[in-house]
Every structure is written in structure tokens, then in C-alpha cells.
Amino acid sequence: MVGVLDALQIGRTDLVTHDIGNMVGYAFAARNRDRVTRFVLMDAPLPGVGPWDELLKNPLLWHFRFGGPDMERLVAGRERIYLDRFWNEFSASPAKFSEASRVHYAALYARPGAMHAGFAQFAAFDRDAADNAGFVAAGKLTMPVLAIGGAKSFGPMMATVMRFAASDVTEVVIPDSGHWLMEEQPVATISAVRGFLDTKR
């Protein structure tokens, strides 16, 4: 990310992230505090920050620990079943995800190496947790942070988590939405993000 910004000759930037992007964004912000003006994180907690160990006990998050050669064999040829579970259980309205979209993404994850790479993201959480503990120990982020959660997903927990890592946190909960904020409630989500980014403090 630093290389891209440097190539574009962008010194400071707003940062808007979702899901795994939150982990990448937090690492970037923690390492480059003077380059992030405002930081929006949407509906996924940061490994190792705040009540992370308690969150891992939620049975809905079993996929965080699901991976390895045997798990890949179990899912091989059944990618659609595995992925449907994410769309169905982590949304307020599973019907928001069209059959065409489900077929499309299942085909992508059925490609050689794709599911292995997907599982590897979750396997990296322990490393993320250790890294994040170091970032938190170095001091809270001081730029304004917006923590957005879907009402049917992490909701206000997003702000709870981020208050362990940042000193200026605004909480927003998007009604009638699960984890997939931009698919389920795009207008409300964009309005919250835009309103935060456009506010001058």
C-alpha cells in the first residue's frame, strides 16, 4: 500500500476497509500513522485486539479455525455448500445474494489453489494477533476512526473492539444488515462512510 501511494504521489489518505481488509488497513495505519487522515473499518474484528478471545468462542465463527489439507479435501467439489453458509448465516436477508452471484463466486473458489488461499487468510489470524498486540502496545491510533457494524452481525462490537486500538472512535450500526453491508444496505453504508469522511474536525 505504501508503494502504491508513493507511486501515485499521495502523501496522506483516508482509509476505508471491510472484513479482512480491516486487518490489512489496521497494520497500515499503525505503521504509517502520519499518512492516514481518517480510518473506516466495517464489520470484522481485529485479531488480538480487545475481546478477541471471547469472540472466538462464538460458534458462528468456527471457520476461523477451519483449514488444512483435510479441510480442503472436505470442501473440494462442495465449494458452493461452504460459501452458501457465509451468505446465508452472515446476512440479515440471504435473498440479497442472487443465484448468479453465488454461482460466480463458487466457480472462482473451485479453481486450483483458491480454497487453500482462502483458508490461509484465517490461518494467518494468530500472526495478526501477535502483530496487533505490538501495535496496540505502541499506542492507540489518534486519527478519527469510524467503526461500522451490521445490526445482525458485529453491530456495536466493532466500536468496542476499536476503542482498545484507537482514541477517537465513532460508532455506527447499520439497521437490517448483516456482515455484507454493501450488498445488503449500500445506501445507508455509503451515507455513513461519506458523512464521516466529509466531516472536518
Side-chain angles (χ1 to χ4, degrees):
M1 290 174 67
V2 171
V4 171
L5 291 174
D6 288 345
L8 295 173
Q9 298 183 332
I10 297 172
R12 306 187 73 214
T13 186
D14 294 330
L15 198 58
V16 180
T17 60
H18 177 247
D19 198 274
I20 299 292
N22 292 350
M23 299 155 203
V24 177
Y26 177 64
F28 174 81
R31 289 175 171 155
N32 303 275
R33 297 171 188 241
D34 60 335
R35 298 192 72 169
V36 179
T37 49
R38 289 173 177 274
F39 187 11
V40 180
L41 301 95
M42 296 189 288
D43 212 75
L46 297 176
V49 176
W52 173 250
D53 290 337
E54 287 303 309
L55 290 171
L56 287 178
K57 296 175 184 177
N58 183 335
L60 284 176
L61 301 180
W62 58 262
H63 59 281
F64 283 4
R65 297 295 188 191
F66 187 79
D70 290 335
M71 284 67 166
E72 290 177 37
R73 289 170 56 218
L74 284 169
V75 175
R78 304 176 184 88
E79 292 84 6
R80 171 65 186 269
I81 297 171
Y82 176 77
L83 294 171
D84 270 342
R85 180 254 169 182
F86 287 89
W87 295 312
N88 294 340
E89 293 190 9
F90 289 99
S91 63
S93 304
K96 295 276 187 179
F97 298 90
S98 69
E99 178 64 16
S101 293
R102 292 170 185 249
V103 168
H104 172 73
Y105 286 110
L108 292 178
Y109 273 93
R111 291 178 175 177
M115 195 58 72
H116 174 81
F119 288 148
Q121 293 183 91
F122 298 126
F125 281 2
D126 288 343
R127 180 69 258 171
D128 285 343
D131 291 344
N132 291 344
F135 296 145
V136 170
K140 292 184 176 184
L141 302 180
T142 57
M143 76 284 293
V145 169
L146 176 62
I148 300 179
K152 301 295 185 180
S153 185
F154 286 104
M157 181 57 68
M158 281 301 300
T160 298
V161 169
M162 286 312 301
R163 288 186 181 110
F164 284 89
S167 59
D168 183 2
V169 178
T170 299
E171 172 185 321
V172 169
V173 176
I174 303 295
D176 195 29
S177 182
H179 175 68
W180 313 102
L181 294 152
M182 286 302 296
E183 289 80 7
E184 298 183 73
Q185 296 296 336
V187 173
T189 303
I190 292 171
S191 177
V193 172
R194 191 72 267 167
F196 176 75
L197 297 181
D198 291 341
T199 299
K200 305 300 180 186
R201 295 188 190 179

